[in-house]
Amino acid sequence: MAGQVTRGTTVAVLAVVLAAGLSGCSDDGGGGTSDAASKAASAASSVGAEVTAAASSLASQGASALASATAEVGRTLESIKNGIDAKDDVKLGEPSTDDSGRTTVTVTADNTADSEQSFAVQVDFRNSDGKLLDVVVVTVSDVAAGSSGEATARSTHTLSGTVKADVGAALRY
């Protein structure tokens, strides 16, 4: 996001500077180049502050949404009674992007139990630096004993850049 803010600010500043330069070249006898440059600097400062405030607001909203999703995932996993750690029995495919721009990944759960079981799997979506971008829970329901079941985990919003998916937790129940 910081790259986008920098580009947006740069474009706005260049537009204001260009406008100031053009008005400074007019021969209307007005305030001249100095006055235009002063107005341009003031406008650029104002635009930069607005872009920075908007970026800060978006970052805050993103952090809030991630915290909310993480809390919801925690509540979902805590609500499962008699769940057994099954993280080693769950594998993820390669993340891809669906038609609506959301990141998806195939979740495969191997049921090593002697009876039909279901799985609740926490999938963590991370960027290439390992920063958590999103977290979801997907259920792989009614997997027969000794068999595998599949489900698709889908991000709650559009994720940009290279996205990796990890199993955060998995419960068999």
Side-chain angles (χ1 to χ4, degrees):
M1 179 182 292
Q4 292 172 343
V5 170
T6 301
R7 277 178 278 180
T9 302
T10 300
V11 169
V13 169
L14 287 175
V16 171
V17 169
L18 180 58
L22 291 175
S23 68
C25 292
S26 71
D27 52 1
D28 63 1
T33 305
S34 175
D35 186 39
S38 175
K39 289 179 183 176
S42 176
S45 175
S46 176
V47 167
E50 289 175 17
V51 170
T52 300
S56 176
S57 176
L58 288 174
S60 175
Q61 290 172 11
S64 177
L66 181 59
S68 178
T70 302
E72 183 62 29
V73 165
R75 284 190 293 276
T76 300
L77 293 176
E78 288 174 5
S79 73
I80 296 172
K81 304 295 181 215
N82 301 318
I84 296 172
D85 181 9
K87 192 172 179 179
D88 292 338
D89 296 331
V90 175
K91 304 291 183 263
L92 302 179
E94 287 296 316
S96 61
T97 304
D98 68 12
D99 292 339
S100 64
R102 304 281 179 91
T103 302
T104 62
V105 64
T106 300
V107 178
T108 303
D110 297 325
N111 184 4
T112 57
D114 296 335
S115 61
E116 182 177 271
Q117 300 286 304
S118 293
F119 294 77
V121 181
Q122 174 185 329
V123 177
D124 296 340
F125 293 103
R126 298 180 182 276
N127 68 10
S128 58
D129 294 330
K131 179 182 175 190
L132 186 63
L133 302 173
D134 199 5
V135 58
V136 298
V137 171
V138 64
T139 301
V140 184
S141 299
D142 306 324
V143 181
S147 295
S148 296
E150 287 188 350
T152 300
R154 183 175 184 255
S155 65
T156 61
H157 58 279
T158 302
L159 306 176
S160 62
T162 302
V163 178
K164 299 177 182 181
D166 298 316
V167 177
L171 296 176
R172 183 179 71 216
Y173 59 98

